[in-house]
Amino acid sequence: MDRPHTTVDAIDPHERGVARGALLRDGIPGALDVYARLFALGGIDLAGARDDAERALDAIDAFRPAARAEIAGIAAGAGVEEWQAGVLNARTEILARSTAVPPGECTTVVRGGIGAQTWDWHVELKPYWHTLESRGARHTVVGLTEHGILGKMGVNSAGLALHFNILGHLRDRVGGVPVHVLAATVLAEAGSAAEAVAIVRSAPLASSGSFALFDAAGDAVLLDISPVGVHEIRPDAMTGALLRTNHFLTPSLTADEKSWLYQPDSGERRAFMAQRLQGELPSTVDELAALLVTGDGEPPVTCLPDPAKPLGQRWASLATVTLDPATRTARVLDGTPADIGTTPWRVLTARP
């Protein structure tokens, strides 16, 4: 794979950040440019984005000073301003102010202690993500994230795995801990799904998302995260699976959901995957990942961009990810689930 990979090892979070930023120095400005154009489509100018980023950085500092220090280190290593690194880490919350740039879509399924998902996002950001191995915090973390962003999905050396999906609530805003920073904190600190839930519940939240959390001991939980509360969803009694697309599964949250952003697509994808799980249940990561392959006439779990559409509406499955907490292994495929078998997996193991 030509995809960048960063390996950093430092107890001091600022030093980890400097190392990460230096390794991605050539790519971070490009990511900033794409997001600036997406913000502009939504009527958010750079001054507004900077103000949002600085408020997000203050919230991060109050929650986890180490995370703020690592973001500052990324900026220093990449040769950009700290607020610009803050923009990247708070990109979900900043874009939540836009009605002109709908978010992308992701599909996640967890069953039998293993997980698989598509990461679907704007195709213009295809050059600006990387795999990582980060050592020096409580746990080693491997997985993938975007350039300049602390974390996204991955697995740690304690045997905790995290898949990540975006949700939308009317009260989403800047002012709490950004969901990407929260995901990175969970993987760096939590030794189990229960510890991860406790960290999420302790965070000041102002935006929405979903973490599928599962650990080497067999515990698994899906979270509806929102500004008005965190709710837990346990595996389906019939299939033993956790299944997530991009809408809330907690009835009390659906009334204020930004359903126009995701529906009917999200519901159709989830129903389609639930139907697939009624057949022969997958027992290996390869079988689980194969469930994500879709074609013509099927809901776009495998997401291909429409080149005829404008900036802000060209979504693609930029990566396919499988996680196995028992072996502390993340496998990352640079492409859609349909590329399985023709594109090699990058295999990463979180060793203590």
Side-chain angles (χ1 to χ4, degrees), residues 107-161:
T107 304
T108 296
V109 58
V110 175
R111 185 184 180 276
I114 52 178
Q117 83 163 97
T118 58
W119 173 46
D120 306 334
W121 197 224
H122 301 281
V123 73
E124 290 82 6
L125 286 152
K126 181 177 177 61
Y128 304 118
W129 66 270
H130 63 282
T131 56
L132 78 154
E133 177 180 357
S134 179
R135 297 175 172 272
R138 181 184 179 194
H139 304 299
T140 299
V141 177
V142 298
L144 74 80
T145 189
E146 296 174 63
H147 290 3
I149 297 181
L150 286 188
K152 195 182 290 287
M153 62 281 291
V155 65
N156 70 20
S157 54
L160 172 71

Side-chain angles (χ1 to χ4, degrees), residues 5-173:
H5 176 75
T6 65
T7 300
V8 296
D9 187 350
I11 293 174
D12 179 78
H14 188 267
E15 290 183 16
R16 285 200 303 274
V18 170
R20 289 178 68 170
L23 290 166
L24 298 167
R25 189 181 184 96
D26 293 340
I28 285 177
L32 285 165
D33 176 69
V34 175
Y35 277 114
R37 289 188 284 136
L38 291 171
F39 296 156
L41 282 179
I44 304 164
D45 61 20
L46 271 184
R50 178 172 184 165
D51 180 66
D52 285 347
E54 289 176 342
R55 288 192 290 131
L57 287 169
D58 288 343
I60 295 165
D61 198 26
F63 178 63
R64 288 294 191 276
R68 169 71 180 269
E70 189 164 354
I71 292 170
I74 288 172
V80 300
E81 298 292 327
E82 185 178 349
W83 70 266
Q84 292 177 299
V87 160
L88 294 173
N89 281 275
R91 58 86 158 162
T92 299
E93 289 70 25
I94 297 171
L95 284 171
R97 296 205 284 118
S98 169
T99 58
V101 184
E105 56 188 34
C106 298
T107 304
T108 296
V109 58
V110 175
R111 185 184 180 276
I114 52 178
Q117 83 163 97
T118 58
W119 173 46
D120 306 334
W121 197 224
H122 301 281
V123 73
E124 290 82 6
L125 286 152
K126 181 177 177 61
Y128 304 118
W129 66 270
H130 63 282
T131 56
L132 78 154
E133 177 180 357
S134 179
R135 297 175 172 272
R138 181 184 179 194
H139 304 299
T140 299
V141 177
V142 298
L144 74 80
T145 189
E146 296 174 63
H147 290 3
I149 297 181
L150 286 188
K152 195 182 290 287
M153 62 281 291
V155 65
N156 70 20
S157 54
L160 172 71
L162 183 155
H163 285 293
F164 185 113
N165 291 58
I166 291 297
L167 309 176
H169 193 276
L170 289 174
R171 291 180 60 178
D172 287 343
R173 64 195 186 281

Side-chain angles (χ1 to χ4, degrees), residues 109 115-118 273 276 282 284-293 302 320-322 331 337-338 340 345:
V109 58
Q117 83 163 97
T118 58
M273 292 298 294
R276 279 194 165 178
T284 67
V285 287
D286 290 324
E287 291 173 354
L288 199 66
L291 291 180
L292 301 173
V293 179
T302 298
T320 306
V321 183
T322 70
R331 298 193 311 164
I340 295 171
W345 294 95

